[in-house]
Amino acid sequence: MSYSKANDLLRLADMATARFEGVSLQEIAEEFGCDHRTAQRMTRALEAAFPQAEVKDDEDRRRRWRLPRSDPRWLQAQGIRDVELAALDMAAQRAERDGAPDDARRLRALRDRLLAAMPSSQARRAEADAEALLEAQGFASRPGPRVVLDPHTLGVLAEALRAPFTIEVSYTSGNGTISDRLLEPYGLLLGIRRYLVARPVAGDGKMRRFRLDRIREVRITGQGFVRAPDFDLAQFSALAFGSFHSDDEYGPVLWRFTPEAAPVARHFVFHPGQEMFEEPDGALTVRFNASGHMEMAWHLYQWGDQVEVLSPPPCERWSPRIVAPISPHYPDHDRFCHLTAPRWWRR
């Protein structure tokens, strides 16, 4: 049996143990992305590997496979994998950032309980590997529209980041040109648009962002590399307001929210390096350094005329690029632009 098939069998055993009614062929096909015949072969392998497996039909006459939960050593024998531990940590971070601290606390409690059931040597190894993977994951995913990515590509990148190994990718640039690149992967930036942070092996030594939706093929070379000890993914991410970064745009940002908008703005984290200043009239000034003027403009749009951009200086080309795609959907175009456009668009 191959390594991947053995992993699938263990995962199936987990499902058959965790689900009180057992697992059906349809559920197996959905979980593993396989056809009905492959799911049948997997159940035969389950019965052969675990003679204690119970097979019965449910109320809808669907056959189900179940493993008894009487032996707690099954969990200890399986352990908790680094990718599973990292997924729990990421879920807790998402809950914290989405304003659900109770959910975050419960996820961390589950994490600690699972680790407590493991032998200490296994737990330490899983925690160390999960921490390395988590550091490479950048930001937690944000809600909203996003590009659907190839799970195989993400799996290969996660494996390369853990090792770490260099990778060969087939990448489509902005002008449609496809080229093969040899990269040292350092992390992922997860958001509405997702990026791989990597350093080209043949280059100037600078880190680059590569859009994941433009990666057509990726392959692990098996050649390891030493990560730059002074590179910090969080600091690198903070160069941008969102996902996009440009050296030409990077600089100080200063926004002033009106006294009416200040109570709401005060609860926002616009940027990890932000500073907030209360003004005598009740207004709120937010200051940070970043690039990504277009993403800033899109965000400021929802604040309407309740925010004034003091820095960077107004740029006439921003207004049409933001307003034009949206305002035609509103009957009263002029009134829409006047009421909703931030003040610096009307200077």
Side-chain angles (χ1 to χ4, degrees):
M1 181 183 295
S2 68
Y3 176 76
S4 61
K5 289 183 179 179
N7 269 343
D8 288 346
L9 181 59
L10 289 175
R11 170 62 184 140
L12 179 56
D14 281 341
M15 294 169 61
T17 304
R19 303 184 185 187
F20 181 75
E21 295 293 334
V23 62
S24 69
L25 288 173
Q26 181 180 350
E27 291 168 345
I28 295 172
E30 291 174 353
E31 174 69 20
F32 295 96
C34 62
D35 56 25
H36 186 80
R37 188 178 297 276
T38 302
Q40 288 179 318
R41 287 198 294 267
M42 293 179 69
T43 58
R44 289 196 292 270
L46 180 72
E47 293 176 28
F50 300 92
Q52 70 271 33
E54 301 171 359
V55 184
K56 63 177 183 178
D57 294 336
D58 61 17
E59 296 177 354
D60 297 324
R61 302 179 64 83
R62 288 177 302 189
R63 182 143 297 186
R64 289 185 172 274
W65 286 259
R66 178 177 176 273
L67 287 177
R69 291 188 254 181
S70 57
D71 190 354
R73 292 175 298 177
W74 170 247
L75 176 62
Q76 292 181 335
Q78 280 261 67
I80 181 170
R81 300 172 181 85
D82 55 350
V83 290
E84 296 165 343
L85 191 59
L88 277 175
D89 288 333
M90 287 289 287
Q93 286 189 17
R94 291 189 187 100
E96 197 77 53
R97 293 177 182 180
D98 291 344
D102 288 344
D103 289 346
R105 186 167 59 253
R106 294 186 185 105
L107 284 167
R108 293 190 180 102
L110 173 61
R111 172 193 186 277
D112 292 342
R113 193 157 61 249
L114 287 170
L115 283 176
M118 301 298 106
S120 58
S121 59
Q122 292 182 18
R124 284 196 300 270
R125 184 168 62 250
E127 278 194 302
D129 291 343
E131 183 178 0
L133 183 59
L134 195 62
E135 288 177 355
Q137 292 283 331
F139 293 130
S141 298
R142 300 174 184 174
R146 65 186 186 278
V147 175
V148 177
L149 301 172
D150 179 16
H152 172 72
T153 297
L154 292 174
V156 173
L157 291 177
E159 184 67 27
L161 287 166
R162 275 204 306 271
F165 289 129
T166 59
I167 55 174
E168 288 181 342
V169 303
S170 178
Y171 189 75
T172 305
S173 60
N175 60 11
T177 303
I178 301 177
S179 60
D180 295 329
R181 310 194 186 197
L182 183 62
L183 306 174
E184 296 177 351
Y186 273 74
L188 299 175
L189 301 182
L190 306 181
I192 294 175
R193 180 167 287 166
R194 304 185 177 192
Y195 289 83
L196 166 69
V197 177
R199 182 166 59 185
V201 172
D204 55 10
K206 293 184 179 180
M207 294 294 171
R208 298 283 188 268
R209 287 172 168 84
F210 298 89
R211 281 175 49 172
L212 294 189
D213 58 306
R214 291 182 176 175
I215 295 178
R216 296 291 173 254
E217 296 179 11
V218 58
R219 185 181 70 84
I220 294 177
T221 65
Q223 180 65 44
F225 68 94
V226 179
R227 288 192 178 98
D230 57 346
F231 177 75
D232 188 295
L233 186 62
Q235 292 181 6
F236 183 81
S237 303
L239 295 174
F241 174 72
S243 301
F244 175 78
H245 170 70
S246 168
D247 289 334
D248 294 336
E249 291 184 5
Y250 184 80
V253 177
L254 192 62
W255 298 341
R256 182 183 185 274
F257 293 88
T258 65
E260 293 76 19
V264 177
R266 199 172 288 114
H267 294 286
F268 272 74
V269 178
F270 299 99
H271 186 270
Q274 72 181 26
E275 295 178 290
M276 290 187 172
F277 304 94
E278 304 282 348
E279 298 189 15
D281 64 351
L284 179 72
T285 300
V286 179
R287 181 173 66 193
F288 57 90
N289 289 281
S291 65
H293 294 162
M294 180 63 75
E295 289 177 307
M296 294 181 200
W298 275 111
H299 175 76
L300 290 174
Y301 200 88
Q302 66 184 304
W303 293 90
D305 61 357
Q306 297 300 304
V307 60
E308 182 179 4
V309 176
L310 304 177
S311 180
C315 181
E316 293 299 329
R317 65 183 178 88
W318 293 350
S319 176
R321 293 175 68 189
I322 301 298
V323 177
I326 302 176
S327 58
H329 297 285
Y330 291 79
D332 193 342
H333 174 279
D334 293 336
R335 183 173 182 272
F336 170 80
C337 293
H338 175 76
L339 291 178
T340 59
R343 294 178 181 181
W344 49 274
W345 284 349
R346 290 183 263 143
R347 289 182 181 177

